[in-house]
Amino acid sequence: MLKLISSSRFHRLHPTPLPVLRPSPDSTSPLLRVLASSLRGLTRRTGGRSFFCSDSAEGSDHVPDAEVKTSEESHSKASAIVPTYPRPEDYLTVLALPLIHRPLFPGFYMPIFVKDPKVLAALQESRERQAPYAGAFLLKDEPEGDPSALSGSDADKNVYDLKGKELFNRLHEVGTLAQISSIHGDQVILIGHRRLRITEMVSEDPLTVKVDHLKDKAYNKDDDIIKATSFEVISTLRDVLKTSSLWRDHVQTYTKHIGDFTYPRLADFGAAISGANKLQCQQVLEELDVYKRLKLTLELVKKEMEISKIQESIAKAIEEKISGEQRRYLLNEQLKAIKKELGLETDDKTALTGKFRERIEPKREKCPAHVLQVIDEELAKLQLLEASSSEFSVTRNYLDWLTALPWGEYSDENFDVTRAQKILDEDHYGLTDVKERILEFIAVGKLRGTSQGKIICLSGPPGVGKTSIGRSIARALNRKFFRFSVGGLADVAEIKGHRRTYIGAMPGKMVQCLKNVGTANPLVLIDEIDKLGRGHAGDPASALLELLDPEQNANFLDHYLDVTIDLSKVLFVCTANVIEMIPNPLLDRMEVVAIAGYITDEKMHIARDYLEKSTREACGIQPEQVEVTDAALLALIENYCREAGVRNLQKHIEKIYRKIALQLVRQGETTDATSHSAQSVEPEKAEVDYDELGQNTVQKENSGLVEGSNPEQIGETFKEVDNVQTDISSDQAECLEIAKESEEDKKIETKTVEKVLVDETNLADFVGKPVFHADRIYDQTPVGVVMGLAWTAMGGSTLYIETTLVQQGEGKGSLRITGQLGDVMKESAQIAHTIARSILLEKEPENPFFANSELHLHVPAGATPKDGPSAGCTMTTSLLSLAMKKPVKKDIAMTGEVTLTGKILPIGGVKEKTIAARRSGIKTIIFPSANRRDFDELAPNVKEGIDVHFVDDYMQIFDLAFGDEQFQNIEKQVPNAL
């Protein structure tokens, strides 16, 4: 219905409602003079601008100046209230206008907006009838709603819906008789005159009410309390005026247009321009007692004073902060300008460009032309970019990588073969194949005068020293060393780099390697290459092809750099446990050097010369404090650490030395405690104890703990000291005491050097019970049992194959297989069964054993998965042994794949299987003839004491396993074996 705009609440940054009254000729009241005196100096600085309206919800913040100027020009010395007829007090029925935000006080202007056409027409008609008066009443808040929760637009919509009696019930009873000063469209300017009270409703549309005109209660103008209160209000207003320029404008405008400035008008003025809420202002409007009204106004202006102080402190703090930051910024800018003028410093982009140019300048002659071209283009691009742009940081990082790479910089290689041999022998024992291959590489480099990068793949079980060999090779060649593991790597970008457009893009591992080592010919160790992963981001194994292909890596292209890099001088060393896991295209580019593992003799040398020495130094133990016998080391290797590598052996040696260190420390603490307790005894008593018991004590302790000491000599020494003490004077007692203390120190030092002996008898006290037992279960293998040789990832091992008869009957020939065997091994068993039947038919045509026997073939260690074709000849021999009731020769083991025609095919892991046979005390080994070359390459100490037979056909194995002489020697033992 109505939309009224008034000041909602006081805001320090926007004007408050300022309805004003025009001055009367007599404006010399005492209150006015007191208040105006505080404005004389301020008026000259701020001028006399008047605010005639307040900040409204619709943003209306001004009244047309033409109306005001015309009114002031026509009535420069008269009252601002236009005289009308009849008089204001004659209006007892008025049109009710609701005010939303604040009440209208007498003597103030207020602009409102009227949206209801009927109300607007009624106001226009009243003005034309020379009766321009209406009643302005503050609207009550909705009782069920929170007034602060509603926005201005929501409150206005609610006012539009209010009509008639509903609107009447929402109006405060006390309001203001308002003169309609002007109407511009839907904007109406009201001027407050006097207080009104609603008595009853006359009509609903538009809302018209009957009113009573209210007058202030009588008061004594000379009352001291009223005077004191009014002067306190004025004093507080003057204090507020010093801090708030907004209040100055209000006071100047009001004092310019008001007539007689009385106590009631002072109370109305203070309440009207304060920032109090509408209910507090309404309370002042309803108060007819002048003294109480002044008190209420005083409370409001006091609050304004506190708010002004807080505002001033906040403004001062912010101003100081801003001014300090601005001052610092200006000083920094001036300093930069001064330094730039003097040539002491350049801007960021120039400094960056200079840094990059300085970095690439020493390499310019060696740097490829296409790389120099890219660097120059990027430097020119960097000068044109803004430092705050994202492209600037991308270009800067790109130039940082380009200029940091070692273009054409190579480390000086050492081609001294003798020195390289010495270094390799210092770091590793054995590994003849690997050392020979490295020495060949060095020799070729020496003859050519330059080295060419190669790709060497070291394959072998864990713990044989593959990774540490790479470090030794780098030291022998005087190359920089860089290692990165590709185990589980599933992202191609780790090798080829990211595109520069991606956030957080980085070059690949190879570019990072070159930046870290600073040379273009390092030794790069690619660890665990057989464990490459494959994820959604591509196939890293395929990405490694370009890196490891000697024909391609001279022009390796990284996605981030986008320029080719020459990696042909890089020596790549890869490590793998199982080469079968490496993709064939990748394996084709490598030169595989197999490391089979260490035999017992090699492990003994490694433990004694390398592991024990490094472990002793790491534990802080002196060599003379510990002795580990050869028998203890041999027992440790045979019963605890049978793996092909020496990592587990190193762990056990560390365990031994840790326990020894604890034992030595405990002994030292006990010795220190004994020495301390001896020193804490009184001197005289200590001498007596020493004289009487020292000899026996020293003899007992030294005889048990000190090696090579003579108890009799020590006893005689203390006897001499005892005899001397009885004769010497008191002046010489101190010298004797010092001698005794030095003797005690020598005794303690001798105790701490006690040697701990670790031998085969007490080895279990340091490492626990043995883990392994002898691989050999039988001294003489019974009928149906044959020892085979197997290869595992941890080295070689012996494997028994057992066959027994379940039952016999006509036509019950069958074969049952157990032992957690793989498909290939199951097929080998079937092949062995077929071959055994054919051989038995040839040797003993009348023997129906296989046709009428249900057989059970088992491979012990049933919990261990087994697979492979190399057990074919062993299974065949086991079946024939049972069928002919002949055990095989003693101390024989065999391995080889057998075909249906009886041919023996080659197998792998010759060295591992030979080592396993030696460990089990085997004297005779049967290998396929095709493996003769592999056996000949073995070290002499591995082949020593073993009789090896190479066969092409199974009948040769038959003759070796079931010789007539063997059968005659053990024929009597066959019934017991069965």
Side-chain angles (χ1 to χ4, degrees):
M1 172 181 176
L2 299 176
K3 186 173 183 182
L4 310 177
I5 299 302
S6 64
S7 62
S8 61
R9 57 179 60 89
F10 188 80
H11 197 286
R12 305 311 303 175
L13 301 179
H14 298 283
T16 51
L18 189 59
V20 237
L21 291 179
R22 300 174 190 168
S24 65
D26 184 14
S27 61
T28 58
S29 66
L31 292 176
L32 184 58
R33 288 196 301 270
V34 172
L35 186 60
S37 64
S38 64
L39 300 172
R40 290 171 183 170
L42 300 174
T43 305
R44 299 187 185 96
R45 294 192 300 270
T46 60
R49 182 182 177 189
S50 301
F51 291 89
F52 294 92
C53 64
S54 67
D55 183 12
S56 64
E58 277 72 19
S60 173
D61 56 359
H62 70 280
V63 177
D65 294 337
E67 177 76 17
V68 180
K69 291 180 179 179
T70 305
S71 176
E72 291 180 358
E73 290 173 0
S74 59
H75 303 281
S76 59
K77 294 183 179 180
S79 175
I81 301 175
V82 179
T84 58
Y85 183 81
R87 293 173 301 173
E89 55 268 21
D90 296 334
Y91 287 90
L92 301 177
T93 302
V94 294
L95 188 66
L97 300 178
L99 305 178
I100 301 175
H101 305 292
R102 291 176 69 84
L104 175 62
F105 282 91
F108 284 84
Y109 285 101
M110 179 178 287
I112 66 171
F113 286 89
V114 180
K115 298 297 184 181
D116 193 336
K118 291 185 179 181
V119 177
L120 194 60
L123 293 174
Q124 189 69 34
E125 182 182 357
S126 299
R127 195 164 183 271
E128 292 174 355
R129 289 190 293 105
Q130 298 297 319
Y133 289 100
F137 301 93
L138 182 65
L139 195 66
K140 297 178 182 179
D141 294 328
E142 293 184 11
E144 67 277 4
D146 184 5
S148 61
L150 294 176
S151 62
S153 59
D154 294 336
D156 295 342
K157 290 178 183 178
N158 293 338
V159 173
Y160 296 154
D161 299 335
L162 294 176
K163 291 183 181 181
K165 192 170 183 180
E166 185 180 1
L167 177 60
F168 176 78
N169 294 332
R170 289 280 303 277
L171 296 178
H172 282 277
E173 291 184 359
V174 178
T176 308
L177 179 66
Q179 178 183 338
I180 304 170
S181 175
S182 62
I183 300 176
H184 299 278
D186 59 352
Q187 186 185 53
V188 180
I189 306 298
L190 303 179
I191 303 175
H193 276 264
R194 58 178 62 195
R195 288 169 169 78
L196 299 176
R197 186 189 299 275
I198 299 176
T199 57
E200 60 178 313
M201 182 175 64
V202 177
S203 63
E204 294 187 2
D205 195 12
L207 180 61
T208 307
V209 295
K210 284 186 177 181
V211 296
D212 288 339
H213 292 257
L214 302 178
K215 293 183 179 180
D216 295 333
K217 294 181 180 179
Y219 64 95
N220 185 6
K221 294 183 180 180
D222 298 328
D223 189 352
D224 294 337
I225 297 178
I226 293 179
K227 283 183 180 181
T229 306
S230 62
F231 281 120
E232 183 61 26
V233 172
I234 293 174
S235 175
T236 307
L237 289 174
R238 292 177 65 180
D239 293 337
V240 176
L241 290 175
K242 295 177 182 178
T243 59
S244 176
S245 60
L246 185 62
W247 278 50
R248 297 172 196 165
D249 296 336
H250 287 185
V251 175
Q252 289 167 3
T253 306
Y254 192 83
T255 55
K256 182 177 179 181
H257 293 82
I258 198 64
D260 187 12
F261 204 102
T262 59
Y263 295 129
R265 289 188 178 180
L266 176 63
D268 291 342
F269 170 78
I273 67 174
S274 69
N277 60 44
K278 61 182 181 180
L279 295 180
Q280 291 175 328
C281 293
Q282 180 67 25
Q283 186 179 1
V284 175
L285 183 67
E286 293 178 356
E287 185 57 58
L288 299 181
D289 189 313
V290 176
Y291 171 64
K292 292 183 180 179
R293 191 189 302 170
L294 281 171
K295 284 184 64 179
L296 292 174
T297 301
L298 181 59
E299 293 179 4
L300 297 182
V301 295
K302 286 289 186 182
K303 289 181 181 179
E304 287 299 317
M305 185 61 200
E306 296 299 324
I307 293 174
S308 297
K309 290 181 180 179
I310 296 173
Q311 174 192 355
E312 184 179 8
S313 62
I314 293 173
K316 186 177 180 181
I318 294 176
E319 183 179 358
E320 288 178 355
K321 182 179 179 181
I322 294 176
S323 61
E325 292 177 354
Q326 289 178 342
R327 183 171 178 271
R328 190 179 299 107
Y329 173 76
L330 291 175
L331 290 175
N332 285 331
E333 291 298 320
Q334 291 174 2
L335 182 61
K336 287 181 181 179
I338 293 171
K339 286 186 176 182
K340 188 173 181 180
E341 192 70 22
L342 295 175
L344 300 177
E345 186 178 297
T346 57
D347 58 7
D348 294 339
K349 289 195 291 187
T350 307
L352 273 176
T353 307
K355 182 184 76 171
F356 292 141
R357 291 189 186 279
E358 181 181 354
R359 188 187 291 177
I360 199 63
E361 198 61 35
K363 314 172 190 175
R364 185 170 289 274
E365 295 181 359
K366 302 177 183 178
C367 188
H370 66 282
V371 177
L372 285 177
Q373 181 181 356
V374 173
I375 291 176
D376 292 338
E377 290 175 356
E378 292 296 323
L379 285 172
K381 178 182 176 182
L382 189 69
Q383 288 292 334
L384 300 176
L385 293 173
E386 290 293 333
S388 59
S389 65
S390 59
E391 186 69 18
F392 181 85
S393 61
V394 172
T395 305
R396 180 187 59 196
N397 293 336
Y398 182 48
L399 280 170
D400 189 21
W401 279 102
L402 275 179
T403 56
L405 292 181
W407 301 105
E409 296 185 359
Y410 301 97
S411 59
D412 295 332
E413 287 191 278
N414 192 323
F415 295 113
D416 188 351
V417 178
T418 306
R419 173 181 174 274
Q421 178 77 52
K422 182 180 179 182
I423 291 176
L424 293 175
D425 290 339
E426 284 178 359
D427 295 344
H428 296 275
Y429 181 83
L431 303 179
T432 308
D433 296 344
V434 183
K435 295 177 181 179
E436 192 70 21
R437 179 64 188 88
I438 299 306
L439 294 177
E440 292 171 2
F441 176 82
I442 297 175
V444 172
K446 185 173 184 178
L447 294 177
R448 290 187 56 187
T450 180
S451 63
Q452 190 71 19
K454 292 293 182 182
I455 296 93
I456 300 173
C457 180
L458 303 176
S459 68
V464 295
K466 299 185 295 296
T467 304
S468 58
I469 286 174
R471 295 183 185 274
S472 299
I473 295 173
R475 192 160 71 95
L477 293 174
N478 195 29
R479 288 195 180 202
K480 298 290 186 180
F481 179 78
F482 184 84
R483 172 192 173 272
F484 69 93
S485 177
V486 295
L489 185 68
D491 191 356
V492 175
E494 291 290 330
I495 298 173
K496 298 279 289 181
H498 303 84
R499 298 289 181 186
R500 290 199 305 275
T501 54
Y502 298 154
I503 297 176
M506 287 283 289
K509 285 287 187 183
M510 202 59 231
V511 177
Q512 297 178 34
C513 158
L514 295 179
K515 181 181 178 182
N516 289 340
V517 299
T519 61
N521 63 335
L523 186 146
V524 178
L525 180 71
I526 304 177
D527 220 353
E528 309 292 349
I529 199 169
D530 59 330
K531 300 176 180 62
L532 274 171
R534 184 168 184 172
H536 67 281
D539 183 13
S542 301
L544 280 174
L545 292 177
E546 182 182 0
L547 181 66
L548 298 181
D549 192 343
E551 301 298 328
Q552 299 182 46
N553 60 13
N555 296 304
F556 178 74
L557 183 65
D558 186 87
H559 290 161
Y560 183 86
L561 294 185
D562 208 21
V563 293
T564 57
I565 308 173
D566 184 10
L567 301 179
S568 60
K569 301 295 190 297
V570 178
L571 176 59
F572 291 98
V573 178
C574 307
T575 67
N577 296 127
V578 184
I579 60 174
E580 286 78 15
M581 300 294 293
I582 304 174
N584 287 331
L586 197 58
L587 185 63
D588 182 62
R589 288 159 171 82
M590 303 177 186
E591 183 177 349
V592 179
V593 179
I595 305 175
Y598 302 104
I599 62 175
T600 303
D601 294 342
E602 292 175 335
K603 285 187 177 180
M604 285 287 293
H605 283 91
I606 294 171
R608 183 67 73 187
D609 299 337
Y610 300 94
L611 304 181
E612 190 180 6
K613 180 180 178 182
S614 61
T615 304
R616 187 168 56 237
E617 293 176 356
C619 294
I621 299 176
Q622 300 300 323
E624 60 271 11
Q625 292 179 293
V626 179
E627 180 183 354
V628 181
T629 63
D630 292 340
L633 281 179
L634 182 61
L636 190 66
I637 294 170
E638 292 290 341
N639 300 330
Y640 296 86
C641 310
R642 288 186 180 178
E643 298 82 6
V646 293
R647 185 175 292 126
N648 192 35
L649 178 60
Q650 182 180 7
K651 292 178 182 177
H652 280 75
I653 292 176
E654 290 175 353
K655 187 175 183 180
I656 292 173
Y657 273 86
R658 284 198 304 268
K659 290 187 178 297
I660 292 173
L662 178 60
Q663 182 176 339
L664 292 175
V665 170
R666 282 177 174 171
Q667 289 179 1
E669 290 179 353
T670 305
T671 305
D672 293 342
T674 305
S675 173
H676 181 72
S677 61
Q679 293 176 4
S680 63
V681 181
E682 296 181 1
E684 295 179 358
K685 187 175 181 180
E687 289 178 1
V688 173
D689 294 342
Y690 188 92
D691 296 337
E692 295 177 357
L693 305 176
Q695 177 179 352
N696 295 332
T697 303
V698 171
Q699 289 180 357
K700 183 178 180 180
E701 290 179 353
N702 284 274
S703 61
L705 300 175
V706 183
E707 295 183 1
S709 60
N710 191 341
E712 296 179 359
Q713 294 178 359
I714 299 174
E716 291 175 3
T717 302
F718 287 116
K719 286 179 181 179
E720 293 175 1
V721 172
D722 192 15
N723 295 331
V724 171
Q725 274 190 331
T726 57
D727 299 333
I728 61 175
S729 63
S730 60
D731 296 334
Q732 297 175 341
E734 295 181 0
C735 298
L736 181 60
E737 191 68 28
I738 295 174
K740 289 190 295 180
E741 291 178 358
S742 62
E743 195 68 31
E744 289 180 357
D745 294 339
K746 290 180 182 179
K747 181 179 66 175
I748 294 172
E749 289 178 1
T750 308
K751 287 183 181 180
T752 57
V753 184
E754 176 193 0
K755 180 174 290 187
V756 178
L757 182 65
V758 180
D759 57 10
E760 191 175 5
T761 58
N762 63 351
L763 181 63
D765 298 337
F766 294 93
V767 292
K769 297 298 181 182
V771 178
F772 298 103
H773 300 281
D775 283 348
R776 205 163 165 175
I777 303 176
Y778 310 101
D779 291 333
Q780 168 61 50
T781 53
V783 172
V785 179
V786 182
M787 179 185 287
L789 300 175
W791 177 92
T792 66
M794 303 298 291
S797 65
T798 56
L799 201 67
Y800 282 97
I801 293 180
E802 303 174 344
T803 306
T804 186
L805 176 65
V806 178
Q807 63 177 344
Q808 283 186 324
E810 187 70 27
K812 289 188 177 182
S814 62
L815 179 65
R816 186 191 310 169
I817 304 169
T818 57
Q820 201 172 355
L821 309 183
D823 293 337
V824 177
M825 205 164 182
K826 289 178 181 178
E827 292 176 358
S828 297
Q830 296 295 333
I831 295 171
H833 189 244
T834 302
I835 295 175
R837 294 186 66 169
S838 64
I839 292 177
L840 184 64
L841 183 62
E842 179 183 349
K843 296 290 184 180
E844 300 180 7
E846 304 299 330
N847 191 347
F849 180 79
F850 288 109
N852 300 329
S853 302
E854 180 182 351
L855 305 178
H856 183 179
L857 187 146
H858 175 68
V859 183
T864 305
K866 311 168 193 67
D867 202 2
S870 63
C873 62
T874 314
M875 292 179 175
T876 306
T877 307
S878 175
L879 290 169
L880 288 173
S881 173
L882 183 65
M884 296 187 301
K885 299 181 181 179
K886 291 182 180 181
V888 296
K889 289 183 178 180
K890 186 179 180 181
D891 298 335
I892 189 171
M894 62 190 70
T895 179
E897 180 181 358
V898 66
T899 66
L900 285 174
T901 59
K903 294 295 181 182
I904 304 299
L905 302 182
I907 46 85
V910 172
K911 181 177 180 180
E912 290 86 345
K913 293 178 178 179
T914 305
I915 294 172
R918 284 180 57 87
R919 189 167 56 238
S920 297
I922 298 299
K923 304 299 183 182
T924 305
I925 303 178
I926 300 176
F927 279 136
S929 294
N931 292 111
R932 183 187 297 271
R933 177 181 57 85
D934 300 324
F935 185 82
D936 291 342
E937 292 178 355
L938 297 181
N941 59 345
V942 177
K943 299 184 289 185
E944 183 181 0
I946 297 178
D947 183 19
V948 181
H949 298 271
F950 299 97
V951 296
D952 290 322
D953 190 82
Y954 180 77
M955 294 309 298
Q956 296 175 266
I957 299 178
F958 185 86
D959 295 337
L960 292 170
F962 303 105
D964 292 340
E965 181 183 355
Q966 175 71 12
F967 177 70
Q968 292 175 1
N969 292 336
I970 62 172
E971 186 177 8
K972 299 178 181 180
Q973 302 176 5
V974 170
N976 296 332
L978 291 175

